[in-house]
Amino acid sequence: MKEKLTIGEMAKLRGVTSETLRHYDRIGLFKPQLVDPHSGYRYYSIFQYEILGTIKELRQLRMTTDEIREYLNERNFSKSLDIMKTKHEELVSNLKELNELEENIREKIAYLEQVERESELQKVIFRKMKSRQLLTLHEKINDNFELCYGVLNLENMLTEKTPILATNRLGIIIEETNLKSERFEEPSTIFIVAKNTEDIPNTYQITIPGGLFACIRYNGELLSSRSESLRKILRYLKTNSYQITGDALQIMHLDITITDKPNEITFEIQVPVRKV
């Protein structure tokens, strides 16, 4: 045991790197206490171990070097307690944000795994769905230019973390009258399925009642692909005595947030129906 420690010895004792200590020395955060008058070598004192340990722990609390310098400067009980409280509030806020992000990513992975299992296209299937709350600007979209700004404005209303990435929540409303009369190329209203509407004005919200939906998936972004799928589902409903009961939804199933391969981009059409 000795009082004077080289940079390597102090680094090893405290489980940090020599470069970390050199950095702390350069910025004046933690400097060697002893300098050999003959060789100019700089040494740490073993009695500095506690300060270095405190710095190491404060770094684990995600404190910046400026915050650590403030913490170490003229320490007293009241000041240290206040700094600790402030840092704790920040950590709780970050933890809440990380938990929300983890939950969203977990849901997205489950959704994509479901997509992988249910890859069949151009097949009419029926699903029971719960009521959904949609966010919409109530504006008809005439071209891709308006679509870009419409989606941007809707996404800016959301407060979630990674809300749209890898989710089937963005789509357009196909009005019942246009669907029944096969006017498939009429301008449509875009929407996002809402998860949290607490801070969003009611004027931007509409409710899609729960119930039975006839669904069909298709890939590709051509209007002809959508028209073909809509005609197919209309023929199926007519043949099997189903009645359309409201506006249909066309939802992005897999989009450019997941793939840049055109043959993998997929939409799902959902038509509310009842058996006649």
Side-chain angles (χ1 to χ4, degrees):
M1 295 185 292
K2 55 184 180 178
E3 179 183 344
K4 292 196 307 181
L5 302 171
T6 65
I7 185 171
E9 290 170 334
M10 177 60 91
K12 185 176 181 181
L13 281 175
R14 266 306 182 187
V16 298
T17 67
S18 297
E19 181 53 38
T20 295
L21 290 183
R22 291 190 185 94
H23 175 65
Y24 289 166
D25 186 8
R26 286 193 295 268
I27 65 176
L29 181 63
F30 183 69
K31 303 183 74 66
Q33 191 175 78
L34 308 169
V35 179
D36 189 298
H38 303 293
S39 65
Y41 287 165
R42 299 156 72 82
Y43 295 94
Y44 293 92
S45 167
I46 186 62
F47 298 111
Q48 291 180 278
Y49 83 96
E50 190 170 2
I51 295 297
L52 181 55
T54 300
I55 293 173
K56 183 179 177 181
E57 290 186 16
L58 295 179
R59 288 295 294 159
Q60 291 174 342
L61 294 178
R62 307 288 179 89
M63 278 193 180
T64 66
T65 51
D66 286 341
E67 288 174 328
I68 294 173
R69 189 180 286 109
E70 172 64 19
Y71 182 89
L72 296 176
N73 184 37
E74 298 182 3
R75 292 184 303 286
N76 61 65
F77 178 86
S78 178
K79 176 184 174 183
S80 296
L81 179 59
D82 287 343
I83 292 175
M84 282 291 184
K85 285 181 176 179
T86 299
K87 182 53 61 174
H88 180 256
E89 290 174 359
E90 292 176 10
L91 289 172
V92 169
S93 176
N94 291 338
L95 184 59
K96 180 180 179 181
E97 184 174 306
L98 286 172
N99 284 335
E100 181 183 343
L101 185 58
E102 185 279 329
E103 180 181 346
N104 284 345
I105 292 176
R106 179 161 29 90
E107 289 177 357
K108 296 174 196 304
I109 290 172
Y111 167 67
L112 291 176
E113 288 177 339
Q114 180 183 348
V115 169
E116 190 176 32
R117 292 191 299 269
E118 301 175 355
S119 58
E120 189 171 0
L121 302 174
Q122 293 298 332
K123 179 182 178 181
V124 178
I125 62 173
F126 290 87
R127 290 202 189 99
K128 282 278 191 179
M129 296 188 180
K130 296 180 179 179
S131 172
R132 287 169 285 179
Q133 203 72 9
L134 307 185
L135 303 183
T136 178
L137 300 174
H138 303 286
E139 297 174 354
K140 298 292 179 66
I141 300 300
N142 296 285
D143 52 41
N144 286 334
F145 180 79
E146 292 181 357
L147 176 65
C148 291
Y149 277 98
V151 172
L152 182 63
N153 289 332
L154 284 175
E155 288 189 1
N156 286 340
M157 292 185 187
L158 304 176
T159 58
E160 311 155 41
K161 302 299 176 185
T162 65
I164 301 303
L165 175 67
T167 54
N168 56 342
R169 294 173 57 191
L170 178 65
I172 63 172
I173 299 171
I174 305 173
E175 294 179 4
E176 181 180 357
T177 53
N178 291 334
L179 180 61
K180 289 179 176 178
S181 59
E182 299 192 17
R183 297 197 300 269
F184 302 143
E185 297 185 9
E186 289 294 312
S188 301
T189 303
I190 59 172
F191 69 84
I192 288 178
V193 179
K195 291 180 70 176
N196 182 358
T197 60
E198 185 176 339
D199 298 321
I200 299 174
N202 291 333
T203 52
Y204 296 116
Q205 300 183 42
I206 60 174
T207 301
I208 299 298
L212 183 65
F213 286 78
C215 305
I216 190 170
R217 292 180 187 169
Y218 69 94
N219 60 1
E221 298 182 281
L222 297 176
L223 283 175
S224 58
S225 300
R226 183 179 75 162
S227 297
E228 177 188 350
S229 299
L230 287 167
R231 290 190 182 94
K232 184 170 185 176
I233 203 169
L234 288 176
R235 288 196 300 269
Y236 186 95
L237 295 176
K238 183 177 180 179
T239 301
N240 293 275
S241 300
Y242 282 91
Q243 183 179 43
I244 298 172
T245 60
D247 295 339
L249 305 180
Q250 176 187 299
I251 297 182
M252 289 294 300
H253 197 56
L254 286 179
D255 62 11
I256 58 173
T257 65
I258 297 300
T259 180
D260 58 8
K261 299 183 183 301
N263 65 318
E264 290 184 339
I265 293 176
T266 311
F267 299 84
E268 179 170 278
I269 297 167
Q270 302 172 354
V271 182
V273 297
R274 67 180 177 86
K275 188 73 172 177
V276 179

